[in-house]
Amino acid sequence: MASNIAFLLLFSCVLAISLSPPSVQGRPATFLQDFRITWSDSHIKQIDGGRAIQLILDRNSGCGFASKSKYLFGRVSMKIKLIAGDSAGTVTAFYMNSDTNTVRDELDFEFLGNRTGQPYTVQTNIYAHGKGDREQRVNLWFDPAADFHTYSILWNHHHIVFYVDEVPIRVYKNNEAKNVPYPTLQPMGVYSTLWEADNWATRGGLEKIDWSKAPFLAYYKDFDIEGCAVPGPASCASNPRNWWEGTAYQALSAMEARRYRWVRLNHMIYDYCTDKPRYPVPPPECLAGI
């Protein structure tokens, strides 16, 4: 285990060179530059001149925010410090959503709280063309409440990759040629919420939220969206010069593939692809690999 951690630390710094054309938007300086509060503005506090925010969950309310624009392809990332101590029954969500009622596209990070001393679980899910139910769960290998960590979603024409501190924990390939749904047409907004979900979030709902520990606090900073804003130039999303469409981002590098396998081998606790009672025949995307 110690050697695995040392391995990750040794290669924890990845340099990404951006060659984005002028039509690409990214890197807001403050929260309100690119985001708006959508739920309970009294429960979202701006810190450091708006360069960071605090989300609050108590008996009265949770809270949420959303990007002012939608985006078609690109990368979104935020640094988040999750709820410390007893967080059972809470969900801190960071996701992209097309906000369409019938044929929804969505890419989800959901951080599921736990009792003090137990690991945090991150659940990812993907909706494509209205179909979801693609949950995977990974126990984080560090304490995400002790400091900020970076959570990112890369979405291009080749694959979708969920990253934790530049470590890929999930890959969903574009296999439209094999009739596997993949989000290519609908722009998605960037959203985050903090809410109570003790009917399912921790050990399937067995562990309930302890309101005596409220308020529950999560912190965000370094909001970074680099993508094709919609409305915007129609040619942006298909521009092969966008950095996220470059050769280096069309598949995992050898180093990323090793990290990915390490996470899946040591920290994955649920994968819908291997849930035989639920899917006696694995869904076709499960056979695609990385």
Side-chain angles (χ1 to χ4, degrees):
M1 181 65 179
S3 61
N4 286 330
I5 295 173
F7 168 81
L8 282 175
L9 291 173
L10 180 62
F11 296 99
S12 62
C13 187
V14 174
L15 175 64
I17 300 175
S18 175
L19 301 174
S20 305
S23 59
V24 172
Q25 293 193 2
R27 307 198 176 201
T30 64
F31 170 71
L32 288 180
Q33 204 171 326
D34 266 22
F35 293 94
R36 57 187 173 85
I37 297 172
T38 55
W39 173 28
S40 190
D41 57 1
S42 65
H43 283 60
I44 296 183
K45 308 291 186 185
Q46 294 191 59
I47 303 170
D48 191 21
R51 285 182 285 273
I53 57 171
Q54 177 193 67
L55 274 62
I56 302 168
L57 168 65
D58 57 25
R59 283 185 178 273
N60 296 318
S61 183
C63 56
F65 64 88
S67 59
K68 295 177 180 178
S69 298
K70 291 184 177 181
Y71 302 87
L72 190 56
F73 301 110
R75 184 188 66 185
V76 56
S77 69
M78 295 183 189
K79 289 184 178 177
I80 305 174
K81 183 162 68 171
L82 294 171
I83 298 167
D86 190 339
S87 58
T90 69
V91 176
T92 308
F94 162 43
Y95 59 102
M96 302 186 72
N97 191 319
S98 62
D99 197 24
T100 44
N101 291 328
T102 53
V103 184
R104 174 170 46 138
D105 293 330
E106 184 171 319
L107 312 174
D108 293 338
F109 269 118
E110 292 180 307
F111 303 96
L112 312 181
N114 216 332
R115 293 295 178 210
T116 303
Q118 297 299 310
Y120 248 99
T121 298
V122 56
Q123 174 172 283
T124 58
N125 198 0
I126 294 169
Y127 284 78
H129 302 184
K131 172 69 170 65
D133 299 327
R134 297 184 174 96
E135 300 92 347
Q136 295 182 353
R137 292 185 177 188
V138 168
N139 279 344
L140 293 174
W141 51 95
F142 53 86
D143 180 0
D147 203 350
F148 285 93
H149 292 267
T150 304
Y151 304 93
S152 309
I153 301 171
L154 173 72
W155 170 34
N156 61 28
H157 283 83
H158 303 276
H159 60 185
I160 296 161
V161 186
F162 292 78
Y163 288 93
V164 175
D165 288 338
E166 304 299 337
V167 176
I169 66 167
R170 181 166 190 175
V171 177
Y172 184 86
K173 294 183 69 173
N174 183 345
N175 277 296
E176 285 189 305
K178 299 178 181 178
N179 296 316
V180 175
Y182 189 86
T184 56
L185 300 176
Q186 298 189 108
M188 291 190 260
V190 182
Y191 299 83
S192 184
T193 53
L194 172 58
W195 50 295
E196 175 265 318
D198 69 1
N199 61 323
W200 67 272
T202 306
R203 294 184 60 216
L206 294 177
E207 301 284 354
K208 300 300 184 183
I209 196 166
D210 182 356
W211 288 114
S212 72
K213 302 295 195 298
F216 301 99
L217 308 175
Y219 298 86
Y220 290 65
K221 68 177 183 178
D222 293 359
F223 314 100
D224 186 359
I225 304 174
E226 297 179 76
C228 293
V230 177
S235 61
C236 179
S238 59
N239 188 342
R241 292 182 57 245
N242 291 331
W243 70 259
W244 54 83
E245 300 289 356
T247 303
Y249 302 95
Q250 295 177 11
L252 297 187
S253 67
M255 178 61 66
E256 289 179 324
R258 285 195 289 272
R259 294 173 174 176
Y260 176 79
R261 287 191 290 267
W262 178 84
V263 169
R264 313 274 295 184
L265 179 64
N266 293 282
H267 298 285
M268 172 163 277
I269 60 171
Y270 176 79
D271 183 0
Y272 77 107
C273 288
T274 58
D275 190 338
K276 297 290 186 183
R278 189 177 177 192
Y279 295 106
V281 177
E285 67 268 17
C286 296
L287 307 176
I290 59 171

